[in-house]
Amino acid sequence: MPERIISQQAIRELLSKQKLYEGLLHSQHGVRQPIVESLVHRQHVAEIANRLDGMPSQAIAGLLETLPIDEAHLLWMCLPDARENEVLWELSDALRETLVGSREPRFAESRINAFDVVDGRVRQVCIGGRHDLEGIRPAWLDLLGATAPERRYVGEHFGVTLPDPGQTTDLEISSRFQVDETGSLRLWSNFLLYRDGVSKSIPVVFIVHQGILFTVRNEDLPVFRLQGQRARSQTGSAADSIDLILDLYGADVEYSADVLESIYQRLGEIGRQVLSEAMSDEDAATVLAGIAEEEGLNGRIRGNILDTQRALFFLIRSRRLLPGQLDDARQILRDIDSLNSHTAFLFDKINFLMDATVGFININQNKQVSRLTIFSVVIMPLNMLAGIGGMSEFSMMTADIPWPSAYAGLAAAMGLMGWATYLMLRRLGTGRRRKGR
């Protein structure tokens, strides 16, 4: 038996027990009756709330529809306030009016905007609740962070299925761009989001159904804000849903180009640091981290514009573009080709800076090994003298000399020999550098 059915049966049993206990307590009289009644009520409310916590809103609404009115009121009182709005989206109008009166479900944390095209100019219509959707037929409906009940209601209102963009990534590559059985155009594309040094690819679903463009996304994107401002201020920028899609793709390419310029600037600063006269290992580690970050951002931009390129090719092959729209799509494709060459150049520059940084790390390691080698060469003759000084023959040879003087002379000889060895190695190193020049 599915877990959802088990939870619904358990909630029904708890509601029945609550009614039974209330009836028994009301039939009894005593000083402590209100206290007992309160304790029993709170216990049942806690158990019901615990059961409701793991149930989806659609299942809760289905359970409310099947319960008697008094039990439905009791279950609604046990529902947490944070989940009331999402359950209201699933209830029928009759039961909703019975439970909460004239209160309507609201688009809580999501933002749903409708755009009309009037004389070539886009006009925005804010959507706050279900009544705002009545009687409008926009050219573009943008859903940002909409929950499953909200997407379901909006889709049923306009006769289209609106998926979750976060779940469409599991689809096969071939199904990301398609025309479904109803003739609706469906596109799944990635858009770049670069904010506070962190870059992400945000999936966006485009659906063109009966002349209306639906965009579904879970995060705010600068491209959509920019395009909304342009469409409202420029006359004749958009005539239908295909124009809006092309404008969004074009704005995404422009946004990617701006981010590429910032990569150029940061790589220039890293290059000046790499090509400086000296670089410590700590500086090299910082530089490598910066190069890796820019390489990841450059790769994400390249992946996104290639995805946009594939979407535009699909639109061209679908034969839905008018001659002017076809020219716009080809212009965006030319811009993408130029960006591809820029990303390839940046990859080459990143590889050069990476190799140069690794070379500096190798040089620093070689210097450390060279210092250790010089130290070992200088110490080697001193070890020989120290070994001689520790033999019994040395004591016999210096028997007539006071031992402090003998060992002081030995220490002086060791110092002179070490200094002479160091000067000899330094002279050899200087001669090799002059010969190299």
Side-chain angles (χ1 to χ4, degrees), residues 176-193:
R176 292 174 58 186
F177 313 104
Q178 61 176 337
V179 179
D180 60 18
E181 62 277 0
T182 63
S184 300
L185 182 67
R186 291 177 176 266
L187 306 174
W188 183 90
S189 297
N190 288 327
F191 278 71
L192 178 67
L193 176 61

Side-chain angles (χ1 to χ4, degrees), residues 89 130 133-134 148-158:
W89 281 100
R130 296 196 300 184
L133 294 174
E134 302 296 334
E150 293 168 350
R151 292 195 308 272
R152 189 181 305 111
Y153 179 84
V154 174
E156 292 176 354
H157 182 79
F158 290 99

Side-chain angles (χ1 to χ4, degrees), residues 97-110:
E97 292 178 0
T98 302
L99 293 177
V100 296
S102 60
R103 175 183 171 187
E104 288 192 356
R106 305 289 297 177
F107 295 102
E109 297 181 356
S110 62

